[in-house]
Amino acid sequence: MLKLQKLNLNPLEKSTFKLFTIYTLIEGVILGVLALNEFVFLKSLFGSNYQLGFLFQFSTVVFVFLLFTNEFIRRMRNRKKLLIVTGLLTRLPLFLLIFFPRSAAGFEADSIYHYLFLFIFLLYYLGNPIIYPNINYLLKANYRLQNFGHLYGISTSLNKVVMLIVTLLYGLWLDVDNYIFVYVFPLMAILGVISVYLLTRINFPEEKDVTIRKSVFQSVFQSGKNMYCILKDNIPYRHFEVGFMLYGFAFMFTMPILFIYFYDELNLNYSSVAFYRNAYNIIAIILLPYFGKLMGKTDPRLFGVLTYSSLGLYILFLGLTSFFPYYTDFLNIRLYYSLIGYVLFHGVFAASMVLLWNIGSSYFCAPEEAGTYQSLHLSLVGIRALIAPLFGIFFYELFGFSATFSLSILFVMFSVFIMLWSYRREKVSTTSTHKSNKTIS
């Protein structure tokens, strides 16, 4: 509370912060359950590696649709109604999991449930291309720039706390009953609708009438052209996205493999997986408020160097576990010593990436352009998601864990280089221009 008082928030910021924080708390519960979703798919539903790749892919590939939804959102006069309809259509289908089998035999005998599971979560993630740009739009409109990163960091820290607690309890519960998810997800369906409704209670800036002179197809083509022009003309932002694309390949190569690695290589149970996810989230919770302040006064490209480097280091320590497979068992948790480095650097990565991924693009544009820039950013996330997760599975099945982790680290190194090169290039250019102007005067 003292930190908020020091920020001297205006009434609009206070109201927005309150509603958005409650939204993030509810989303923390949902994300805490989803944190173990891929592992549930492997361990309880006996899904295949490629099906797992699709499940991970769905969470990001849906952002390709931003090339279309961006224009649809721009034309929409009633964004509140759009959010409510989106919440109902994409969150409520989670309730259908209550009809799934409650035993291993049910999934081994009939694989149709694998495809139903994938379809339900595809629907769930299809809501994000509409919800996320609107969040960016609302926060950018209602928070002053100097408070943006800090307020977002506080809300996200609370989100992480809730996510941590839920993931731990859910993991322990799954070890008692591997099929408890059939009761948990219907509750998540209700919470998901409530959380989206809370977003509609945030102040929406008065929207100007949009004059429609083109068809939807023409407008989508124009939207794609505008996004291309942004990348062409805004050079620092283009470099930022190139670095993000390289990082994204590294991340997406690794994430589906991570759950296979935990399941096949390390033979972990639900409680152990929940422990490792919680351990790095504790570090992320501690660091988030400080990273929120840091990002407010740091070029996103330099901030990206911190984020990408921590990703490379956590992948390194993860891979080293195969060569140093020493551990101790504590209660129902298996503690691998080499995974201490994985936890530490994953915590740094989690704390910094949530800021860079959600609000990094807004630092390169005017407030009214924030939604467009974030839509472009997320659509590029979707484009790489079309390739990277399944390629990671393919590469792993050909060459194994170590080769896949090594390839990811190589892409991380490229992304760090791009960020440093871009920042230094602009700094040198700015310095040269300043000296030139001084000479002329």
Side-chain angles (χ1 to χ4, degrees), residues 11 17 23 34 38 112 131 142-143 150 168 183 204 209 232 236 247 256 280 317 322 362 377 384 392:
F17 177 74
Y23 162 82
L34 292 179
E38 287 85 357
I112 187 65
I131 294 170
N142 291 310
Y143 285 160
H150 192 45
L168 177 60
Y183 301 109
F204 276 72
D209 289 328
K232 179 184 176 182
Y247 136 78
Y280 75 71
F317 279 98
S322 294
S362 64
H377 171 70
R384 65 173 175 262

mmCIF file of all heavy atoms in Angstrom, residues 11 17 23 34 38 112 131 142-143 150 168 183 204 209 232 236 247 256 280 317 322 362 377 384 392:
data_model
loop_
_atom_site.group_PDB
_atom_site.id
_atom_site.type_symbol
_atom_site.label_atom_id
_atom_site.label_comp_id
_atom_site.label_asym_id
_atom_site.label_seq_id
_atom_site.Cartn_x
_atom_site.Cartn_y
_atom_site.Cartn_z
ATOM 1 N N PRO A 11 -7.569 8.806 -9.643
ATOM 2 C CA PRO A 11 -8.727 7.910 -9.451
ATOM 3 C C PRO A 11 -8.885 6.861 -10.543
ATOM 4 O O PRO A 11 -9.261 5.717 -10.264
ATOM 5 C CB PRO A 11 -9.918 8.874 -9.431
ATOM 6 C CG PRO A 11 -9.338 10.158 -8.939
ATOM 7 C CD PRO A 11 -7.955 10.227 -9.523
ATOM 8 N N PHE A 17 -6.358 -0.317 -11.587
ATOM 9 C CA PHE A 17 -5.451 -1.224 -10.867
ATOM 10 C C PHE A 17 -6.235 -2.245 -10.047
ATOM 11 O O PHE A 17 -5.906 -3.440 -10.032
ATOM 12 C CB PHE A 17 -4.522 -0.420 -9.968
ATOM 13 C CG PHE A 17 -3.597 -1.267 -9.139
ATOM 14 C CD1 PHE A 17 -2.511 -1.900 -9.714
ATOM 15 C CD2 PHE A 17 -3.831 -1.433 -7.781
ATOM 16 C CE1 PHE A 17 -1.661 -2.691 -8.953
ATOM 17 C CE2 PHE A 17 -2.983 -2.222 -7.016
ATOM 18 C CZ PHE A 17 -1.903 -2.858 -7.595
ATOM 19 N N TYR A 23 -8.685 -9.380 -11.688
ATOM 20 C CA TYR A 23 -8.636 -10.208 -12.906
ATOM 21 C C TYR A 23 -7.402 -11.102 -12.896
ATOM 22 O O TYR A 23 -7.494 -12.314 -13.167
ATOM 23 C CB TYR A 23 -8.626 -9.312 -14.147
ATOM 24 C CG TYR A 23 -8.153 -10.008 -15.399
ATOM 25 C CD1 TYR A 23 -9.009 -10.795 -16.148
ATOM 26 C CD2 TYR A 23 -6.827 -9.866 -15.830
ATOM 27 C CE1 TYR A 23 -8.571 -11.444 -17.297
ATOM 28 C CE2 TYR A 23 -6.382 -10.512 -16.975
ATOM 29 C CZ TYR A 23 -7.250 -11.291 -17.702
ATOM 30 O OH TYR A 23 -6.809 -11.933 -18.833
ATOM 31 N N LEU A 34 -3.428 -24.755 -15.472
ATOM 32 C CA LEU A 34 -2.880 -24.972 -16.815
ATOM 33 C C LEU A 34 -1.381 -25.243 -16.797
ATOM 34 O O LEU A 34 -0.842 -25.817 -17.754
ATOM 35 C CB LEU A 34 -3.167 -23.759 -17.700
ATOM 36 C CG LEU A 34 -4.630 -23.514 -18.081
ATOM 37 C CD1 LEU A 34 -4.756 -22.260 -18.932
ATOM 38 C CD2 LEU A 34 -5.208 -24.711 -18.819
ATOM 39 N N GLU A 38 0.211 -29.901 -19.862
ATOM 40 C CA GLU A 38 0.948 -30.778 -20.770
ATOM 41 C C GLU A 38 1.373 -32.071 -20.065
ATOM 42 O O GLU A 38 1.362 -33.149 -20.662
ATOM 43 C CB GLU A 38 2.169 -30.055 -21.347
ATOM 44 C CG GLU A 38 1.846 -28.999 -22.395
ATOM 45 C CD GLU A 38 1.505 -27.642 -21.786
ATOM 46 O OE1 GLU A 38 1.469 -27.549 -20.541
ATOM 47 O OE2 GLU A 38 1.296 -26.683 -22.539
ATOM 48 N N ILE A 112 -10.276 -40.972 -28.829
ATOM 49 C CA ILE A 112 -11.083 -39.815 -29.206
ATOM 50 C C ILE A 112 -10.993 -38.728 -28.152
ATOM 51 O O ILE A 112 -11.093 -37.533 -28.454
ATOM 52 C CB ILE A 112 -12.568 -40.232 -29.429
ATOM 53 C CG1 ILE A 112 -13.377 -39.065 -29.998
ATOM 54 C CG2 ILE A 112 -13.190 -40.740 -28.128
ATOM 55 C CD1 ILE A 112 -12.956 -38.635 -31.371
ATOM 56 N N ILE A 131 -8.672 -11.034 -26.256
ATOM 57 C CA ILE A 131 -8.555 -10.549 -24.878
ATOM 58 C C ILE A 131 -7.257 -9.782 -24.653
ATOM 59 O O ILE A 131 -7.256 -8.684 -24.095
ATOM 60 C CB ILE A 131 -8.664 -11.727 -23.890
ATOM 61 C CG1 ILE A 131 -10.068 -12.335 -23.959
ATOM 62 C CG2 ILE A 131 -8.365 -11.268 -22.460
ATOM 63 C CD1 ILE A 131 -10.207 -13.647 -23.215
ATOM 64 N N ASN A 142 -5.336 3.893 -19.486
ATOM 65 C CA ASN A 142 -5.709 4.299 -18.131
ATOM 66 C C ASN A 142 -4.528 4.484 -17.174
ATOM 67 O O ASN A 142 -4.705 5.067 -16.102
ATOM 68 C CB ASN A 142 -6.668 3.253 -17.530
ATOM 69 C CG ASN A 142 -8.013 3.268 -18.220
ATOM 70 O OD1 ASN A 142 -8.630 4.309 -18.396
ATOM 71 N ND2 ASN A 142 -8.483 2.100 -18.637
ATOM 72 N N TYR A 143 -3.349 3.962 -17.530
ATOM 73 C CA TYR A 143 -2.155 4.161 -16.707
ATOM 74 C C TYR A 143 -1.268 5.219 -17.344
ATOM 75 O O TYR A 143 -1.078 5.225 -18.560
ATOM 76 C CB TYR A 143 -1.329 2.871 -16.600
ATOM 77 C CG TYR A 143 -1.895 1.806 -15.700
ATOM 78 C CD1 TYR A 143 -1.483 0.477 -15.838
ATOM 79 C CD2 TYR A 143 -2.831 2.080 -14.714
ATOM 80 C CE1 TYR A 143 -1.976 -0.534 -15.016
ATOM 81 C CE2 TYR A 143 -3.333 1.084 -13.893
ATOM 82 C CZ TYR A 143 -2.902 -0.221 -14.050
ATOM 83 O OH TYR A 143 -3.392 -1.201 -13.229
ATOM 84 N N HIS A 150 5.406 -0.363 -13.429
ATOM 85 C CA HIS A 150 5.407 -0.681 -12.000
ATOM 86 C C HIS A 150 4.066 -1.286 -11.565
ATOM 87 O O HIS A 150 4.034 -2.296 -10.847
ATOM 88 C CB HIS A 150 5.704 0.584 -11.199
ATOM 89 C CG HIS A 150 6.016 0.320 -9.761
ATOM 90 N ND1 HIS A 150 6.862 -0.686 -9.361
ATOM 91 C CD2 HIS A 150 5.587 0.912 -8.620
ATOM 92 C CE1 HIS A 150 6.947 -0.695 -8.042
ATOM 93 N NE2 HIS A 150 6.177 0.259 -7.575
ATOM 94 N N LEU A 168 0.920 -25.949 -6.775
ATOM 95 C CA LEU A 168 1.379 -26.891 -5.747
ATOM 96 C C LEU A 168 0.233 -27.776 -5.261
ATOM 97 O O LEU A 168 0.359 -29.002 -5.219
ATOM 98 C CB LEU A 168 1.981 -26.121 -4.569
ATOM 99 C CG LEU A 168 2.451 -26.975 -3.380
ATOM 100 C CD1 LEU A 168 3.525 -27.962 -3.827
ATOM 101 C CD2 LEU A 168 2.946 -26.091 -2.244
ATOM 102 N N TYR A 183 -12.892 -32.766 -12.667
ATOM 103 C CA TYR A 183 -13.720 -31.943 -11.779
ATOM 104 C C TYR A 183 -13.190 -30.511 -11.666
ATOM 105 O O TYR A 183 -13.957 -29.580 -11.427
ATOM 106 C CB TYR A 183 -13.782 -32.563 -10.380
ATOM 107 C CG TYR A 183 -14.338 -33.956 -10.343
ATOM 108 C CD1 TYR A 183 -13.509 -35.044 -10.079
ATOM 109 C CD2 TYR A 183 -15.690 -34.197 -10.592
ATOM 110 C CE1 TYR A 183 -14.015 -36.344 -10.059
ATOM 111 C CE2 TYR A 183 -16.206 -35.491 -10.565
ATOM 112 C CZ TYR A 183 -15.363 -36.556 -10.299
ATOM 113 O OH TYR A 183 -15.865 -37.831 -10.280
ATOM 114 N N PHE A 204 -13.396 2.130 -20.374
ATOM 115 C CA PHE A 204 -13.052 2.093 -21.788
ATOM 116 C C PHE A 204 -13.031 3.522 -22.322
ATOM 117 O O PHE A 204 -14.025 4.250 -22.174
ATOM 118 C CB PHE A 204 -14.071 1.272 -22.577
ATOM 119 C CG PHE A 204 -13.821 -0.210 -22.556
ATOM 120 C CD1 PHE A 204 -14.056 -0.942 -21.395
ATOM 121 C CD2 PHE A 204 -13.344 -0.859 -23.669
ATOM 122 C CE1 PHE A 204 -13.836 -2.298 -21.352
ATOM 123 C CE2 PHE A 204 -13.114 -2.230 -23.646
ATOM 124 C CZ PHE A 204 -13.352 -2.950 -22.481
ATOM 125 N N ASP A 209 -16.213 7.092 -33.942
ATOM 126 C CA ASP A 209 -16.883 6.310 -34.975
ATOM 127 C C ASP A 209 -15.880 5.937 -36.070
ATOM 128 O O ASP A 209 -15.068 6.761 -36.508
ATOM 129 C CB ASP A 209 -18.029 7.107 -35.607
ATOM 130 C CG ASP A 209 -19.190 7.271 -34.627
ATOM 131 O OD1 ASP A 209 -19.392 6.358 -33.803
ATOM 132 O OD2 ASP A 209 -19.875 8.311 -34.691
ATOM 133 N N LYS A 232 8.810 -2.123 -41.356
ATOM 134 C CA LYS A 232 9.734 -1.505 -42.307
ATOM 135 C C LYS A 232 10.241 -0.158 -41.817
ATOM 136 O O LYS A 232 11.445 0.139 -41.914
ATOM 137 C CB LYS A 232 9.030 -1.330 -43.657
ATOM 138 C CG LYS A 232 9.904 -0.676 -44.716
ATOM 139 C CD LYS A 232 9.114 -0.456 -45.999
ATOM 140 C CE LYS A 232 9.967 0.300 -47.021
ATOM 141 N NZ LYS A 232 9.195 0.576 -48.266
ATOM 142 N N PRO A 236 13.959 0.329 -34.763
ATOM 143 C CA PRO A 236 14.203 -0.281 -33.440
ATOM 144 C C PRO A 236 13.187 -1.369 -33.104
ATOM 145 O O PRO A 236 13.549 -2.418 -32.561
ATOM 146 C CB PRO A 236 14.075 0.914 -32.482
ATOM 147 C CG PRO A 236 14.402 2.103 -33.317
ATOM 148 C CD PRO A 236 13.839 1.796 -34.671
ATOM 149 N N TYR A 247 14.516 -15.698 -30.153
ATOM 150 C CA TYR A 247 14.276 -16.217 -28.812
ATOM 151 C C TYR A 247 13.101 -17.195 -28.824
ATOM 152 O O TYR A 247 13.130 -18.254 -28.193
ATOM 153 C CB TYR A 247 13.981 -15.082 -27.830
ATOM 154 C CG TYR A 247 12.822 -15.393 -26.910
ATOM 155 C CD1 TYR A 247 12.983 -16.234 -25.810
ATOM 156 C CD2 TYR A 247 11.533 -14.917 -27.197
ATOM 157 C CE1 TYR A 247 11.888 -16.565 -25.007
ATOM 158 C CE2 TYR A 247 10.457 -15.247 -26.407
ATOM 159 C CZ TYR A 247 10.642 -16.070 -25.308
ATOM 160 O OH TYR A 247 9.577 -16.413 -24.528
ATOM 161 N N PRO A 256 7.859 -28.103 -25.316
ATOM 162 C CA PRO A 256 7.207 -29.420 -25.376
ATOM 163 C C PRO A 256 8.157 -30.529 -24.907
ATOM 164 O O PRO A 256 7.733 -31.491 -24.272
ATOM 165 C CB PRO A 256 6.854 -29.587 -26.857
ATOM 166 C CG PRO A 256 6.878 -28.221 -27.424
ATOM 167 C CD PRO A 256 7.913 -27.472 -26.637
ATOM 168 N N TYR A 280 10.706 -21.808 -9.267
ATOM 169 C CA TYR A 280 11.142 -20.675 -10.086
ATOM 170 C C TYR A 280 10.131 -19.531 -10.043
ATOM 171 O O TYR A 280 10.494 -18.353 -10.199
ATOM 172 C CB TYR A 280 11.468 -21.104 -11.515
ATOM 173 C CG TYR A 280 10.337 -21.410 -12.455
ATOM 174 C CD1 TYR A 280 9.516 -20.389 -12.954
ATOM 175 C CD2 TYR A 280 10.112 -22.700 -12.926
ATOM 176 C CE1 TYR A 280 8.497 -20.656 -13.849
ATOM 177 C CE2 TYR A 280 9.098 -22.974 -13.824
ATOM 178 C CZ TYR A 280 8.300 -21.950 -14.283
ATOM 179 O OH TYR A 280 7.287 -22.216 -15.181
ATOM 180 N N PHE A 317 21.351 -25.691 -17.746
ATOM 181 C CA PHE A 317 21.323 -26.468 -16.511
ATOM 182 C C PHE A 317 20.317 -27.623 -16.591
ATOM 183 O O PHE A 317 20.527 -28.679 -15.996
ATOM 184 C CB PHE A 317 20.992 -25.565 -15.325
ATOM 185 C CG PHE A 317 22.181 -24.802 -14.815
ATOM 186 C CD1 PHE A 317 22.402 -23.489 -15.204
ATOM 187 C CD2 PHE A 317 23.091 -25.407 -13.962
ATOM 188 C CE1 PHE A 317 23.503 -22.788 -14.740
ATOM 189 C CE2 PHE A 317 24.194 -24.721 -13.492
ATOM 190 C CZ PHE A 317 24.408 -23.401 -13.885
ATOM 191 N N SER A 322 21.124 -34.653 -17.391
ATOM 192 C CA SER A 322 21.356 -35.974 -17.980
ATOM 193 C C SER A 322 22.773 -36.466 -17.701
ATOM 194 O O SER A 322 23.025 -37.675 -17.622
ATOM 195 C CB SER A 322 21.108 -35.933 -19.492
ATOM 196 O OG SER A 322 19.749 -35.682 -19.770
ATOM 197 N N SER A 362 4.837 -1.817 -26.493
ATOM 198 C CA SER A 362 4.216 -0.495 -26.301
ATOM 199 C C SER A 362 5.250 0.613 -26.095
ATOM 200 O O SER A 362 4.917 1.788 -26.224
ATOM 201 C CB SER A 362 3.264 -0.536 -25.101
ATOM 202 O OG SER A 362 3.971 -0.802 -23.909
ATOM 203 N N HIS A 377 2.896 -7.856 -32.681
ATOM 204 C CA HIS A 377 3.824 -8.658 -31.873
ATOM 205 C C HIS A 377 3.276 -10.070 -31.657
ATOM 206 O O HIS A 377 3.989 -11.070 -31.856
ATOM 207 C CB HIS A 377 4.050 -7.959 -30.525
ATOM 208 C CG HIS A 377 4.803 -8.768 -29.532
ATOM 209 N ND1 HIS A 377 6.144 -9.049 -29.672
ATOM 210 C CD2 HIS A 377 4.414 -9.377 -28.383
ATOM 211 C CE1 HIS A 377 6.549 -9.781 -28.649
ATOM 212 N NE2 HIS A 377 5.504 -10.000 -27.862
ATOM 213 N N ARG A 384 5.587 -18.068 -35.683
ATOM 214 C CA ARG A 384 6.666 -18.999 -35.329
ATOM 215 C C ARG A 384 6.118 -20.245 -34.631
ATOM 216 O O ARG A 384 6.716 -21.311 -34.703
ATOM 217 C CB ARG A 384 7.738 -18.322 -34.482
ATOM 218 C CG ARG A 384 7.314 -17.846 -33.109
ATOM 219 C CD ARG A 384 8.553 -17.351 -32.335
ATOM 220 N NE ARG A 384 8.194 -16.781 -31.049
ATOM 221 C CZ ARG A 384 8.055 -15.485 -30.812
ATOM 222 N NH1 ARG A 384 8.230 -14.613 -31.794
ATOM 223 N NH2 ARG A 384 7.747 -15.038 -29.613
ATOM 224 N N GLY A 392 10.530 -28.927 -32.926
ATOM 225 C CA GLY A 392 11.259 -29.341 -31.728
ATOM 226 C C GLY A 392 11.037 -30.820 -31.432
ATOM 227 O O GLY A 392 11.981 -31.545 -31.109
#
